[in-house]
Amino acid sequence: MQLVHNLRFTPFTFCRRLSATPSLAARCCSSPPSPTIAAKPLFLRPPHHPSTLSDLRQWYSWAYLLSTSVGSSFLLSDGGPDSSLLLRELRWLLEDVLDTSSGIHPHLVTHPDDDSHRKVWLRAEIGDLYRLWRQRIEERKPFQYVVGCEHWRDLVLWVREGVLIPRPETEMIVDLARDAVGKNPFLRDGLWADLGTGSGAIAIGVSRLVLGDGGKVFATDLSPVALEVASYNVCRYGLEDAIELRKGSWFEPLRDVQGKLAGVVSNPPYIPTDDMLGLQAEVGRHEPGLALDGGVDGTDDLLHLCHGASSFLQPGGFFAFETNGEKHCQFLMEYLAREFKGSFRSVDVVSDFSGIPRFVIGFRC
Amino acid sequence: MSRGTSDRAWPGGIFSARTEMPFALSRQATLRTPSEQSPPTHHRTYNEESNPFTGSKDGRRLQIPEETMPISFLRRSLRKALSFLHWSPSRFPYSNRPGFPRQKDVFLTTGYRCSFHSGAQGGSFSENWRRLCSYSSRAAAEPSTSDGLTLEGIISNQWTILDEGESDWRSHVAAIAQSIGLIKRRLKWKEMLVRLNLLSAQLDRPDIWDDPMHAGKISREYGSLMAKMKEVVAWERQLLEHIDMIKLAREENDSELESESLKALLDMRRSSKDKELEALLSGQHDLCPCFIEVQAGAGGTESMDWASMVMQMYRMWAQRRGYGVTVVDEMPGEIAGIKRATIKVDGEYAFGYAKAEVGVHRLVRISPFDSNKRRHTSFAAVAVIPILGDGFSHVQINESDLRIERFRAGGAGGQHVNTTESAVRIIHIPTGITATCQNERSQHQNKASAMAVLQSRLDQLEMARQAQMNAQHTQSLTEISWGNQIRTYVLHPYRMVKDLRTNYEVSDPDSVLEGDLDGFILSYLSTSLDKDEEDK
Ligand SMILES: C[S@@+](CC[C@H](N)C(=O)[O-])C[C@H]1O[C@@H](n2cnc3c(N)ncnc32)[C@H](O)[C@@H]1O
């Protein structure tokens, strides 16, 4: 394991990667880049598909039935969604697909009355809706891939197969960063890094909520799909100047700012390899392994990040890492105390909303 | 923030906050005369609504936030305003206008000539001022016509009220007077005057601004009550003026003026009806948006279905009124319907209307969930919570008093789980009050919504505490007892919806369930207010 880390750091790979992949931020544009039309979040697509209220209702009741037939079978088998959750998702799908500017609101669809011949405009063909909902139920495709977006904090982010759907737990990393900056205002205008940025969620959250005009976030990832998605989201929020995307492994593309980072935040893959098989179908069958598999005990990347933080953070710099839970947190606390004596201060564990110890945070001395 | 330093230093920031005014109120006053001496001993005011010259040709309109001003301030600013107006009678062509010979010049005790001029929107500045002074001193002689007829006098004359179409001025006058009487009752007139006096005394205290929060609150309440009061007084005066005009027209055989005045009375009579309605919504928080909560009673799926029908009724009602509706929290039933739900209703007077719905709603029908087709009775409880604006002092919430929980906790969480379930429950530990939100699509947003609900619940609790002294408040879900039935909806064996508080009933439950609730709401509001007043 240690060997792998060292390999990733060889100057050779570093140089090659850097030259081969110019900063993606340069490719950004004032309007979002156009990934293939079908890949955009559903709710942003133009409502070009006419249908009638009655056809839509028919689809809705079909989907409603399909969802209720699930009962709690998914929940019992792998902790997946039960009917009531699926019904809520169904409603959201309706909200995303329906053009309400003509005065047709979702509740007109879900509460039948007479004027069923009214025309409605949809953002996908009605046939696609049947396909999408079948995928949701039969293939257990995550809802967020179905609608192409995830609501995260106050953001709506594009997501698609190949990029991890940001989790609600991770929202808190932005709050942790904000608290840190609140107590140490000089961090506000510094250089930050979001390593393994995925859809760009943390980088965008930190950039918008935490950093000042002088602050900047480097967002790195190894996955080209993740970088494509992140770049779309960064542009959608107009943060091209505040977030720079770089391709590469963890700290590797950041050599030029070694020792100068004011903050490092990351939600690296942390699921122990053995657990990868028993995952909830939405996760195991659909989300990218690269984003989830954290090695034998799930700490491969976390340990790598700790090492990197000790050399890439400036004095007083802040870090926050998401972990797999109590075991990881404890292990990392001990590891940091043992391996980096005197390098970090105020190292602490923070629990998520479910009360699970989830984050390890601290400052570089 | 001392009021003493300069009139211009009036802290407009606080006073520009929106006050609760059910009526469109005059903020414009036309200045006609420099005088701040005692009120004129002899005066006659004319309403100029139909006069093309209204609107102050000289363009000297002062923008004055009247409804927020205590008297002393008003006096000072009047003085100041007058000092930079070069007043000269010749600049007011009004009284010289040919074809309008009846402009009565009024001589004030100071000897200045003054034309009273109530513009289309209310009353002249000096008139307002005079009114203010007289009301604040409580030495107000009741407004009357030139021959001493007062509102009370009109009412006690018991002139027959004929149809609107009959052009009988007495009938119009009687109808309007009756309306004004009703409006006064609905506004709790006497209480209001006492309160105003109390508030203005407080505002006149030199140390009032030591506590700006408190001062802001007081002056806002003062402003809003004052506005209501002035609106009614202006209305009453207008009525008396028209009576004077009619009498004058008759004396002088001017049929043109008589018919003009008659028409003005008819217009007044028509808008009186609106004003009566508006007066129903004069409660302190009536203007606020609100949360409506519905909870299913015992009885499983049948009552959960009923709860969702009730919720749907409110959504449709809100939509009819043009209010915005968002679902905050919804606990669906296992098979159908909802166990409980909260919606947010956004728009003016949402709380004022919706508060009439608080209580238990009962349904009688053949249950679609009963294979034996038996008749079932189900219940749903409704609570309404006002969402107080920024102008009100909210209960302070300490972060440390909160426990924030995620639902469906358990399991490893994080990357292991992909769920759209991001419900949040916030518990306010000192009071045990909780708020949940699960309908937003991110946990962050759910938390923000739940916080808003929690804030409103805590505010409501605080209001309930204070209400034990005076104002009314609406009950929360937990306070509502299932015995407190307010309305019955019968779909079988006959069809009817009946309000048990007012006996108002309709025979078409479908229209009611589609949100046609205003009849119920207005009849309840008027009965409760009109009854309240009689109780005293
Ligand atoms: C758990 S996901 C987190 C994504 C995103 N930050 C979030 O919280 O939603 C981990 C991310 O790390 C990326 N990743 C995996 N190995 C990496 C490596 N060696 N260097 C950089 N990124 C890597 C994955 O592509 C994935 O996007």
Side-chain angles (χ1 to χ4, degrees):
Chain A
M1 184 178 79
Q2 202 56 39
L3 190 68
V4 177
H5 288 140
N6 292 339
L7 262 182
R8 283 178 183 175
F9 263 108
T10 52
F12 171 72
T13 12
F14 163 65
C15 290
R16 191 173 50 83
R17 286 248 171 82
L18 195 67
S19 53
T21 56
S23 156
L24 276 164
R27 278 206 260 137
C28 268
C29 38
S30 51
S31 63
S34 42
T36 49
I37 288 293
K40 268 191 190 172
L42 182 59
F43 80 100
L44 288 178
R45 287 182 220 162
H48 285 168
H49 307 276
S51 183
T52 61
L53 203 47
S54 65
D55 284 350
L56 193 58
R57 277 180 187 148
Q58 202 174 355
W59 164 77
Y60 184 82
S61 34
W62 166 84
Y64 192 99
L65 264 174
L66 193 61
S67 315
T68 46
S69 72
V70 168
S72 30
S73 57
F74 296 168
L75 184 66
L76 295 175
S77 77
D78 62 13
D82 66 359
S83 291
S84 66
L85 192 49
L86 290 168
L87 290 177
R88 199 181 308 153
E89 291 179 359
L90 180 60
R91 226 191 131 80
W92 288 336
L93 172 56
L94 192 59
E95 279 171 19
D96 279 5
V97 84
L98 186 64
D99 175 33
T100 52
S101 62
S102 58
I104 307 264
H105 292 274
H107 79 266
L108 281 180
V109 180
T110 57
H111 290 84
D113 54 22
D114 11 294
D115 41 340
S116 52
H117 292 293
R118 277 175 78 173
K119 200 161 194 177
V120 296
W121 291 94
L122 304 177
R123 298 174 200 285
E125 275 186 39
I126 202 111
D128 282 341
L129 291 181
Y130 281 94
R131 190 176 49 78
L132 287 173
W133 202 247
R134 199 167 277 131
Q135 287 176 335
R136 175 71 189 108
I137 307 286
E138 289 166 9
E139 298 169 22
R140 303 281 306 273
K141 186 171 177 171
F143 176 72
Q144 299 90 335
Y145 290 158
V146 169
V147 290
C149 74
E150 160 74 340
H151 291 238
W152 191 85
R153 293 192 69 94
D154 54 345
L155 309 170
V156 185
L157 301 164
W158 178 40
V159 291
R160 51 164 281 195
E161 280 90 342
V163 65
L164 185 101
I165 298 159
R167 304 291 195 252
E169 283 87 348
T170 311
E171 289 181 345
M172 208 187 237
I173 291 191
V174 178
D175 297 313
L176 296 173
R178 187 187 45 193
D179 294 348
V181 167
K183 285 184 216 131
N184 307 275
F186 69 96
L187 299 176
R188 184 185 303 277
D189 290 313
L191 300 175
W192 285 61
D194 170 20
L195 304 176
T197 195
S199 60
I202 305 176
I204 294 172
V206 166
S207 176
R208 273 163 55 101
L209 190 73
V210 181
L211 299 192
D213 291 340
K216 177 169 180 169
V217 184
F218 296 104
T220 73
D221 210 296
L222 205 51
S223 148
V225 181
L227 287 168
E228 185 204 354
V229 171
S231 125
Y232 176 90
N233 287 324
V234 166
C235 291
R236 205 166 95 76
Y237 284 97
L239 296 169
E240 299 92 324
D241 296 335
I243 298 177
E244 186 178 328
L245 296 168
R246 291 188 177 184
K247 186 171 185 217
S249 180
W250 305 129
F251 289 96
E252 206 181 70
L254 302 179
R255 288 273 161 173
D256 54 331
V257 289
Q258 184 161 15
K260 293 183 192 151
L261 292 178
V264 172
V265 285
S266 180
N267 171 23
Y270 55 61
I271 299 185
T273 306
D274 281 353
D275 292 358
M276 289 293 293
L277 280 177
L279 288 176
Q280 180 198 338
E282 278 81 0
V283 183
R285 284 194 223 158
H286 298 273
E287 292 195 287
L290 179 67
L292 300 168
D293 189 342
V296 177
D297 59 3
T299 53
D300 282 12
D301 299 297
L302 280 166
L303 290 177
H304 183 75
L305 290 173
C306 290
H307 282 272
S310 73
S311 72
F312 276 76
L313 279 177
Q314 69 185 48
F318 169 76
F319 73 89
F321 302 138
E322 183 172 325
T323 78
N324 197 27
E326 185 162 15
K327 254 177 152 171
H328 274 190
C329 286
Q330 239 165 23
F331 173 73
L332 287 183
M333 289 284 279
E334 283 162 19
Y335 187 80
L336 287 173
R338 194 173 64 238
E339 301 288 317
F340 300 98
K341 222 175 246 151
S343 293
F344 295 107
R345 62 173 172 81
S346 316
V347 177
D348 205 357
V349 170
V350 180
S351 294
D352 64 21
F353 276 154
S354 311
I356 299 177
R358 179 67 66 193
F359 308 97
V360 177
I361 61 171
F363 293 88
R364 182 82 174 85
C365 288
Chain B
M1 282 245 245
S2 146
R3 277 192 298 144
T5 48
S6 149
D7 290 341
R8 296 179 151 258
W10 186 256
I14 292 176
F15 288 97
S16 59
R18 202 166 70 190
T19 51
E20 296 185 22
M21 286 183 290
F23 308 138
L25 283 154
S26 160
R27 279 165 183 265
Q28 289 189 323
T30 311
L31 218 61
R32 291 274 168 181
T33 180
S35 169
E36 47 146 347
Q37 304 294 312
S38 51
T41 46
H42 161 89
H43 69 268
R44 180 167 275 178
T45 49
Y46 292 151
N47 177 267
E48 299 294 345
E49 266 182 324
S50 52
N51 180 343
F53 276 71
T54 302
S56 178
K57 275 202 114 178
D58 51 55
R60 275 167 214 255
R61 289 226 152 165
L62 288 182
Q63 198 74 34
I64 301 162
E66 295 163 25
E67 70 279 10
T68 59
M69 282 186 294
I71 290 92
S72 54
F73 172 69
L74 204 62
R75 284 195 192 115
R76 272 201 306 276
S77 55
L78 177 61
R79 204 180 301 147
K80 194 147 198 170
L82 291 171
S83 71
F84 44 75
L85 266 184
H86 305 288
W87 180 77
S88 133
S90 63
R91 300 180 81 140
F92 301 103
Y94 189 80
S95 53
N96 307 329
R97 203 179 116 232
F100 200 87
R102 285 184 190 79
Q103 169 68 37
K104 296 285 176 194
D105 291 338
V106 174
F107 292 90
L108 301 179
T109 46
T110 53
Y112 281 113
R113 197 182 68 158
C114 159
S115 310
F116 283 115
H117 176 105
S118 23
Q121 303 187 22
S124 77
F125 186 64
S126 41
E127 199 184 349
N128 281 332
W129 160 73
R130 186 163 34 76
R131 215 187 288 147
L132 292 178
C133 297
S134 59
Y135 270 90
S136 70
S137 67
R138 302 286 293 121
E142 228 185 308
S144 65
T145 59
S146 51
D147 54 4
L149 185 61
T150 62
L151 187 80
E152 300 244 315
I154 298 172
I155 293 175
S156 64
N157 277 346
Q158 296 198 327
W159 288 331
T160 328
I161 299 180
L162 305 168
D163 211 56
E164 258 185 24
E166 306 284 331
S167 47
D168 171 35
W169 70 271
R170 283 207 174 82
S171 141
H172 292 334
V173 165
I176 299 165
Q178 212 173 54
S179 274
I180 296 178
L182 181 65
I183 291 169
K184 283 185 169 177
R185 277 202 303 284
R186 289 182 175 173
L187 292 176
K188 307 193 163 99
W189 192 250
K190 290 205 183 90
E191 265 175 60
M192 190 164 103
L193 294 184
V194 173
R195 181 87 189 139
L196 264 172
N197 229 24
L198 198 93
L199 292 171
S200 86
Q202 284 196 41
L203 279 172
D204 277 338
R205 278 175 33 194
D207 59 351
I208 174 92
W209 284 100
D210 294 352
D211 179 355
M213 275 282 276
H214 178 70
K217 209 173 133 189
I218 299 274
S219 71
R220 260 192 308 276
E221 188 187 346
Y222 176 84
S224 117
L225 288 184
M226 197 63 176
K228 283 171 195 161
M229 187 203 79
K230 286 197 293 183
E231 171 88 12
V232 178
V233 172
W235 200 237
E236 185 174 339
R237 275 180 197 280
Q238 226 183 81
L239 173 67
L240 299 170
E241 285 162 22
H242 285 312
I243 299 175
D244 271 345
M245 288 296 268
I246 290 223
K247 287 183 178 164
L248 193 74
R250 299 197 147 190
E251 266 167 38
E252 301 187 9
N253 262 331
D254 183 336
S255 60
E256 196 191 327
L257 179 66
E258 185 178 341
S259 73
E260 249 176 50
S261 305
L262 199 67
K263 167 148 188 329
L265 278 175
L266 180 63
D267 288 347
M268 271 190 89
R269 180 170 171 183
R270 289 189 177 136
S271 30
S272 291
K273 288 289 157 217
D274 293 339
K275 294 193 187 248
E276 282 176 21
L277 280 186
E278 285 162 345
L280 285 178
L281 297 172
S282 55
Q284 211 194 343
H285 303 301
D286 283 358
L287 192 63
C288 296
C290 64
F291 293 114
I292 299 182
E293 308 197 86
V294 176
Q295 185 170 5
T301 302
E302 166 63 14
S303 21
M304 291 184 215
D305 188 52
W306 170 229
S308 85
M309 286 164 71
V310 170
M311 198 37 121
Q312 181 63 9
M313 173 172 85
Y314 291 127
R315 284 162 152 278
M316 293 175 78
W317 167 77
Q319 212 140 30
R320 280 170 187 241
R321 291 213 136 260
Y323 293 150
V325 179
T326 38
V327 179
V328 176
D329 182 19
E330 195 172 60
M331 284 267 287
E334 285 86 8
I335 296 168
I338 49 170
K339 289 180 183 148
R340 172 172 55 74
T342 304
I343 56 171
K344 182 178 174 200
V345 183
D346 252 316
E348 286 196 347
Y349 295 108
F351 176 69
Y353 287 111
K355 69 175 188 221
E357 293 296 299
V358 175
V360 172
H361 298 238
R362 171 171 173 261
L363 173 74
V364 182
R365 68 165 174 185
I366 305 268
S367 169
F369 302 96
D370 182 345
S371 47
N372 295 323
K373 302 257 173 278
R374 275 172 305 195
R375 202 143 57 93
H376 283 244
T377 301
S378 1
F379 301 94
V382 175
V384 176
I385 311 172
I387 304 171
L388 305 188
D390 293 338
F392 295 92
S393 44
H394 293 280
V395 175
Q396 279 288 329
I397 301 179
N398 293 328
E399 278 282 332
S400 58
D401 285 342
L402 300 179
R403 193 165 75 235
I404 300 172
E405 289 176 352
R406 258 191 83 182
F407 274 73
R408 304 233 174 123
Q415 289 165 17
H416 290 263
V417 182
N418 173 295
T419 177
T420 49
E421 173 66 276
S422 52
V424 167
R425 169 169 39 213
I426 305 181
I427 301 145
H428 185 248
I429 300 162
T431 56
I433 286 184
T434 63
T436 46
C437 180
Q438 55 208 319
N439 263 59
E440 298 288 344
R441 282 162 76 163
S442 86
Q443 180 163 287
H444 180 83
Q445 305 280 42
N446 274 329
K447 185 185 160 199
S449 290
M451 269 309 272
V453 174
L454 185 75
Q455 179 74 61
S456 292
R457 291 211 169 120
L458 289 173
D459 289 346
Q460 187 192 31
L461 189 74
E462 175 61 19
M463 282 190 295
R465 209 181 52 78
Q466 288 175 4
Q468 287 169 352
M469 298 175 284
N470 47 24
Q472 39 167 279
H473 86 290
T474 55
Q475 293 172 304
S476 68
L477 269 184
T478 45
E479 288 174 287
I480 295 171
S481 100
W482 290 99
N484 173 21
Q485 287 166 34
I486 64 158
R487 200 177 295 149
T488 298
Y489 305 69
V490 185
L491 305 187
H492 189 90
Y494 52 94
R495 298 170 64 75
M496 180 200 70
V497 181
K498 177 169 182 165
D499 200 297
L500 307 170
R501 304 164 299 183
T502 57
N503 290 329
Y504 183 93
E505 65 175 79
V506 301
S507 55
D508 177 13
D510 293 341
S511 70
V512 178
L513 291 171
E514 278 161 23
D516 189 2
L517 280 169
D518 283 350
F520 285 97
I521 291 177
L522 293 175
S523 75
Y524 169 73
L525 290 177
S526 46
T527 338
S528 67
L529 274 180
D530 301 344
K531 183 175 126 262
D532 260 17
E533 196 64 10
E534 277 158 27
D535 287 350
K536 287 195 178 118

